[in-house]
Amino acid sequence: MSSINVRPATRADMPLILSLVAELAEYEKLSDQITSDPEEFAEHLFGPRPYAEVLIGELDGKACGFALFFHNFSTFLGKPGIYLEDLYVRADTRGSGLGKALLGTMAKLAVARGCGRLEWSVLDWNEPAIGFYKQLGAYSLDDWTQFRLTGDALQNLAKNTEEPALA
């Protein structure tokens, strides 16, 4: 039987995190969308104002997965929540219980931090992940459509807004 461990990432884990993110992007067929600067990425995770947190999942002492998440807030619940940006377990260790351990650790963090929910998005073609999440009791929000502003559209909206920007 394999030994599973989940631990918070440290700055020393940045090469591992970048490697796992690249593997995730390849799996999701989105490698062309990685544009992050490794030093800026590390600063956002481990600098004076961290914007996200990372858990490292280990199987028999070897890092085989990660979860990157951050807090959001529900005005309807009046409570913080946790948004799971990325969950990834290496293909050769899927089915080992590592993904469940990562999500379980996140659920414990959410409860300990007084959060009202833990949520994430999944690509609609990723049937193995969807099935896994449903087995854990998660459900899809089919009545919501996710929107995103990036690149020029984000810059244009910021530039063309007359109100002073908040930092």
Side-chain angles (χ1 to χ4, degrees), residues 2 71 118:
S2 297
H71 282 275
L118 169 61

Side-chain angles (χ1 to χ4, degrees), residues 83-148:
Y83 186 83
L84 172 61
E85 178 69 19
D86 289 321
L87 174 69
Y88 178 73
V89 173
R90 289 185 166 144
D92 61 341
T93 59
R94 292 185 190 137
S96 66
L98 190 57
K100 185 176 181 180
L102 283 162
L103 275 172
T105 301
M106 293 192 56
K108 286 181 179 184
L109 283 172
V111 170
R113 295 177 182 183
C115 296
R117 61 186 177 202
L118 169 61
E119 57 191 353
W120 60 92
S121 297
V122 61
L123 292 166
D124 58 8
W125 58 259
N126 194 345
E127 289 298 327
I130 293 168
F132 168 65
Y133 298 144
K134 286 182 177 180
Q135 284 179 346
L136 297 176
Y139 57 93
S140 64
L141 300 174
D142 296 331
D143 51 342
W144 289 85
T145 301
Q146 188 172 8
F147 282 85
R148 178 177 293 165

Side-chain angles (χ1 to χ4, degrees), residues 3 16 22 26 34 70 72 83 109 116 118 127 150-152 157 167:
S3 168
L16 170 65
E26 184 177 331
I34 293 182
F70 52 88
N72 57 16
Y83 186 83
L109 283 172
L118 169 61
E127 289 298 327
T150 62
D152 289 342
L157 180 59

Side-chain angles (χ1 to χ4, degrees), residues 43-91:
E43 190 65 16
H44 289 315
L45 291 179
F46 303 108
R49 183 177 178 192
Y51 288 94
E53 299 174 63
V54 177
L55 297 174
I56 302 294
E58 299 172 332
L59 194 59
D60 296 327
K62 181 181 176 193
C64 297
F66 82 109
L68 187 145
F69 63 97
F70 52 88
H71 282 275
N72 57 16
F73 193 85
S74 169
T75 54
F76 289 4
L77 296 177
K79 294 181 177 187
I82 290 180
Y83 186 83
L84 172 61
E85 178 69 19
D86 289 321
L87 174 69
Y88 178 73
V89 173
R90 289 185 166 144

